[in-house]
Amino acid sequence: MTRVIADITVSLDGFVTGPNAGPTNGLGDGGEPLHTWVFDDDPVNRQLLSDGTARSGAVIMGRNLFDVVEGPEGWSDDIGYGAAEVGKPPFIVVTSSEPESVRLTNLDWTFVTTGLQDAIAVARRRAEEVSAARGADLDVVLMGGGELVGSAVMAGLVDMLSLHLSPMVLGSGTPLFTGGSPRTFVQRTVIVTPTATHLTYDLV
């Protein structure tokens, strides 16, 4: 069964980037330590990245994040989806307009201009196609940015929330949640490593 999973790294005070995030400053001012766990040599972190990349049948991102990974300092042959895993599932971008050109032509891009719900429907269809081809149940993963993930969670559009809690306080930046009605979660797993606490929740 294909699940929709929101997966993102967040600071102790709830920010997914520092201030002034943009195409050439993806994690914002002071935000680089958020992803220390992604690049360290801890075997548990390495396994979590590998497992997460392998389970991704399709990946959704917002236009701001697309501009970061597509930019000159973004993804490459060595660093991509899942960091050094460089996974290549279908990527679905939620955007108001398609880009005029794409640098990363070796990746499978689909641009959805009609909103997040339509993007999830497209991603679910693509993930089910990949699942059938591989003979395994794969998921749709919302990888960011913060506004897209936060709004999807608060709207009840995901089945599971996977948070990687970085042991730092940013003070300001891009918040994961910016309000909305209260929601209840069921905590499923907690995995602690030296550079992050990995938490998973089911949505009620």
Side-chain angles (χ1 to χ4, degrees), residues 29-102:
D29 297 344
E32 290 296 330
L34 281 171
H35 284 181
T36 296
W37 76 271
V38 174
F39 296 102
D40 70 19
D41 294 325
D42 181 85
V44 176
N45 289 334
R46 301 269 65 73
Q47 190 63 53
L48 286 168
L49 275 173
S50 179
D51 291 346
T53 305
R55 77 164 186 245
S56 300
V59 173
I60 299 174
M61 68 180 73
R63 179 58 184 265
N64 289 342
L65 180 55
F66 168 79
D67 288 342
V68 171
V69 303
E70 170 70 4
E73 299 178 24
W75 287 352
S76 65
D77 291 339
D78 300 315
I79 297 296
Y81 180 63
E85 296 292 321
V86 197
K88 294 184 178 180
F91 293 100
I92 289 79
V93 180
V94 185
T95 180
S96 59
S97 61
E98 295 191 23
E100 294 182 2
S101 62
V102 175

Side-chain angles (χ1 to χ4, degrees), residues 3 13 17 25 33 51 58-59 132 140 143 148 150 152 156 162 167-169 197:
R3 301 172 298 172
D13 52 345
T17 77
N25 190 27
D51 291 346
V59 173
V140 171
M143 68 172 290
L148 180 141
S162 177
M168 68 177 300
V169 171
T197 300

Side-chain angles (χ1 to χ4, degrees), residues 103-115:
R103 176 179 65 89
L104 298 166
T105 56
N106 61 326
L107 299 180
D108 181 349
W109 297 106
T110 300
F111 298 93
V112 176
T113 60
T114 52

